[in-house]
Amino acid sequence: MASVGASTTLSVTAAGADTLVYQWYKDGSALSGATAATYTVASAASTDTGTYHVVVTNAKGTATSSKVTLNVTTATTATQTAQVTGAAQAFLATLSSTQQATAQTTYALDTARHWSNLPASMVSRNGVSWGSLSDAQKVAARALVIAALGSTGNQQHVDMQAAENYLYASGGGSSYGEGQYYIAVLGTPSTTGFWMLQITGHHLTHNLAFNGTVKSPTPLFMGVEPKAAFTYGGNTSDPMKVQREAVAALGSALTGYSAAKFSGTYTDLVFGANGSGSIDGSCPHAFSGVSEHGIAYASLSSTAQALVQSVIKAYVNTQASEYAADILAAYLSDSALAQTTIGYSGSGTVTASNNYFRIEGPRVWIEFSVQGGVIFNKDIHFHTIWRDKTGDYGGQCGAS
């Protein structure tokens, strides 16, 4: 682990009769000029977070070191941590002792992984349900969501709850409705110690980590049914308009690149909530086991590259500005984009079942899957996921 701005040195000890030649690698790519027994990051930045190893060669052969993950500490500054900590404490204070025991639990990675894309009636959730809160408690809960996600993320949360109400009113029954969204505090809200806030429900889950090794709201599951705009209670909502339109525009561009099309068919997310029990799978996720990667970002036109960045921003900008700025700086750096790939399966549209898109970089992992409808079973709906290979759950579920 290293702090932002600090100097960090990695080293290896090797012995051999002949001259030894060293080459250091980060996330599988050779580092230019890193040809000594030590490798130093003079002033660590979030973009230096990754997995490192060194290959040592002499006339007799080659040896590869074990891999080591360097996490650059970019823990939340006091401003946002204090705001969210205060809002979490204020929310918990409105709850009865019984509600508090439900809303707050000791942090454990296995507990944090207990989220799903299925309705809460099918897979339980951590925390206290929105439907169990009084009006005054809901005011405090909304203040917490606003503090944690900012205005854009909060509005999407409101719109996602409206979508659940729409499904309820459209024949979905008691498995749906805004009351089936949950808030969970994992650990003790603090400006210094690690804790997590989980804002979760059927088609939206934020896993916000505070004071972790990485600023992290991931894994973030985002899906929606109905697929686009709807009106409920006199208000029109379109919870995934930004993400849907960004992916649609990118898909239109990708169809012009044969190398961007995957040979396989993807009927759902590769790394969604598809572990045992329909919750998040075991950690770490085997990103290295994925064989299809599509086309390199560098091989796209400048117009298509801008569309890739628009999709990434559509997900990251659902977060409060502090998190969003830090994460975008890492994802959209020249070095990160040079290692980013993009691919799709199907027809390249967001209008047909089993169409699929993926953006993958040294940290970023975004999947967008078009599913058949459930309540509106003659239509489609969406499942999508944003993961951070080194940042999920605040850096406690790094890439393999």
Side-chain angles (χ1 to χ4, degrees), residues 85-282:
T85 297
Q89 291 169 337
F91 168 66
L92 292 171
T94 69
L95 305 180
S96 68
S97 58
T98 300
Q99 287 176 310
Q100 286 179 3
T102 302
Q104 185 176 12
T105 187
T106 302
Y107 170 79
L109 181 57
D110 283 349
T111 302
R113 288 174 40 238
H114 196 92
W115 59 268
S116 180
N117 58 268
L118 294 174
S121 61
M122 299 175 67
V123 178
S124 65
R125 299 300 196 272
N126 296 319
V128 62
S129 71
W130 200 271
S132 69
L133 301 178
S134 68
D135 288 346
Q137 290 169 338
K138 287 178 181 177
V139 169
R142 181 57 60 196
L144 174 55
V145 174
I146 293 171
L149 301 181
S151 59
T152 299
N154 172 67
Q155 186 59 54
Q156 187 184 58
H157 184 265
V158 170
D159 290 342
M160 288 289 191
Q161 287 186 307
E164 290 300 296
N165 290 337
Y166 188 76
L167 293 179
Y168 176 88
S170 301
S174 59
S175 293
Y176 301 90
E178 67 178 52
Q180 299 286 342
Y181 270 67
Y182 287 73
I183 292 179
V185 175
L186 310 182
T188 302
S190 166
T191 58
T192 56
F194 180 79
W195 64 286
M196 285 187 61
L197 174 66
Q198 200 170 63
I199 301 170
T200 183
H202 173 201
H203 270 149
L204 184 67
T205 294
H206 295 265
N207 287 288
L208 292 120
F210 296 92
N211 307 307
T213 58
V214 181
K215 289 180 182 176
S216 173
T218 63
L220 192 163
F221 177 86
M222 188 189 302
V224 73
E225 187 179 15
K227 65 184 179 185
F230 62 90
T231 300
Y232 178 84
N235 297 314
T236 298
S237 301
D238 193 350
M240 284 191 62
K241 181 177 188 294
V242 174
Q243 294 77 24
R244 182 184 71 247
E245 292 183 349
V247 172
L250 175 60
S252 181
L254 289 180
T255 56
Y257 296 89
S258 59
K261 189 168 185 179
F262 296 140
S263 60
T265 298
Y266 298 84
T267 59
D268 205 342
L269 305 175
V270 175
F271 289 122
N274 51 6
S276 177
S278 296
I279 64 171
D280 192 18
S282 60

Side-chain angles (χ1 to χ4, degrees), residues 292-371:
E292 293 194 293
H293 301 284
I295 191 170
Y297 175 89
S299 298
L300 299 175
S301 69
S302 59
T303 299
Q305 289 177 346
L307 295 174
V308 173
Q309 293 197 33
S310 292
V311 174
I312 294 173
K313 291 174 182 177
Y315 283 85
V316 177
N317 285 334
T318 59
Q319 303 306 303
S321 58
E322 182 184 310
Y323 270 41
D326 185 85
I327 294 166
L328 286 176
Y331 290 0
L332 302 183
S333 70
D334 290 344
S335 61
L337 290 173
Q339 300 174 69
T340 296
T341 58
I342 307 94
Y344 76 99
S345 176
S347 63
T349 73
V350 298
T351 58
S353 256
N354 297 334
N355 281 357
Y356 171 89
F357 304 83
R358 185 192 307 147
I359 297 174
E360 177 183 3
R363 281 182 54 179
V364 67
W365 176 276
I366 293 173
E367 296 179 76
F368 188 108
S369 175
V370 185
Q371 305 280 301

